[in-house]
């Protein structure tokens, strides 16, 4: 399995993975156009020439980036691929000089296992004023915000 930056030819496979889970309301749907527009933000996992997972990193400000559209093919869940994508996105944040990475999610225990901790959404004003305010669930948001400091991630890998 390799984790690499996405290229244009991956978009259909990424779209299909996101589509599957967004139908179950587990994550927001993405159009193919939005995937093309954000192709530089997306990482994929490839196994036997197939795209089996994807996730993207969106910079929201000087010190904050968000992990979005994290998906792992049901056939290969539980093999550590989701965590590998998350770690590769945090490494990308580090290269860019962004200090904090967060996710808004229903997968709280998964993100905790990846080293994130729960934060109050009010600690993420860039997210609230950019995206949440336009979301129909704004006043009844049932997703949890989890954050990881890039410095803590680097500390944790240096201990292994
Ligand atoms: C959540 C998801 C990305 C996890 O991917 P995965 O490749 O199966 O996860 P990993 O194998 O890397 O798991 C890492 C750790 O988290 C745990 N874990 C994985 N999914 C979990 C879950 N739903 N609840 C609790 N723990 C979970 C694993 O057991 C593993 O723990 P370990 O370190 O003790 O072995 C994947 O199930 C998925 O695509 N879900 C649907 C889409 C979604 O909700 N995405 C999140 C949007 S923000």
């Amino acid at each position: 399995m390799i984790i690499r930056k996405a290229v244009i030819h991956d978009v259909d496979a990424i779209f299909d993975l996101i589509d599957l889970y967004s139908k179950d309301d587990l994550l927001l749907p993405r159009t193919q156009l939005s995937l093309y527009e954000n192709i530089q933000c997306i990482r994929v996992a490839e196994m036997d020439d197939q795209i089996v997972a994807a996730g993207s990193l969106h910079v929201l400000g000087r010190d904050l980036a968000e992990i979005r559209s994290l998906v792992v093919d049901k056939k290969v869940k539980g093999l550590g691929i989701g965590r590998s994508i998350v770690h590769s996105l945090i490494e990308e944040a580090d290269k860019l000089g962004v200090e904090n990475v967060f996710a808004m999610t229903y997968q709280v225990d998964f993100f905790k296992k990846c080293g994130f901790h729960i934060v109050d959404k009010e600690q993420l004003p860039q997210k609230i004023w950019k995206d949440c305010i336009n979301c129909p669930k704004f006043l009844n948001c049932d997703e949890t915000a989890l954050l990881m400091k890039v410095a803590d991630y680097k500390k944790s890998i240096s201990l292994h």
Side-chain angles (χ1 to χ4, degrees):
M1 193 264 302
I2 56 157
I3 307 274
R4 61 167 171 79
K5 287 190 169 196
V7 294
I8 291 297
H9 293 301
D10 300 323
V11 162
D12 287 345
I14 300 167
F15 176 83
D16 287 346
L17 284 175
I18 296 174
D19 193 45
L20 204 66
Y21 289 116
S22 64
K23 282 184 179 139
D24 292 339
D25 241 358
L26 285 174
L27 73 174
L28 291 172
R30 300 271 300 256
T31 61
Q32 273 154 318
L33 179 60
S34 118
L35 296 173
Y36 288 125
E37 285 172 342
N38 293 286
I39 197 74
Q40 290 119 312
C41 306
I42 306 174
R43 295 282 166 123
V44 291
E46 185 179 337
M47 222 180 203
D48 301 330
D49 296 328
Q50 303 279 322
I51 300 302
V52 292
S56 57
L57 183 83
H58 297 262
V59 176
L60 297 188
R62 184 184 165 84
D63 60 358
L64 192 66
E66 179 180 14
I67 291 181
R68 288 189 199 156
S69 306
L70 176 68
V71 283
V72 175
D73 190 324
K74 288 180 180 165
K75 291 194 284 272
V76 292
K77 272 186 177 187
L79 301 179
I81 298 174
R83 177 164 31 213
S84 299
I85 294 258
V86 167
H87 286 174
S88 119
L89 295 172
I90 297 172
E91 279 159 21
E92 180 67 14
D94 184 32
K95 279 189 208 144
L96 293 168
V98 177
E99 288 175 9
N100 299 288
V101 175
F102 79 98
M104 298 277 277
T105 186
Y106 298 114
Q107 306 296 336
V108 175
D109 291 336
F110 164 75
F111 276 97
K112 281 185 176 171
K113 290 251 167 138
C114 292
F116 288 63
H117 62 275
I118 295 177
V119 288
D120 204 319
K121 290 179 195 122
E122 271 72 60
Q123 285 184 36
L124 308 168
Q126 298 97 320
K127 173 69 180 170
I128 291 173
W129 293 111
K130 186 172 180 291
D131 298 323
C132 298
I133 201 147
N134 299 314
C135 175
K137 289 185 182 173
F138 181 45
L139 295 174
N140 300 305
C141 176
D142 55 353
E143 290 188 312
T144 301
L146 292 107
L147 183 132
M148 181 158 190
K149 286 189 178 302
V150 172
D152 289 345
Y153 167 74
K154 286 164 76 178
K155 226 179 281 169
S156 76
I157 52 169
S158 73
L159 295 174
H160 289 107

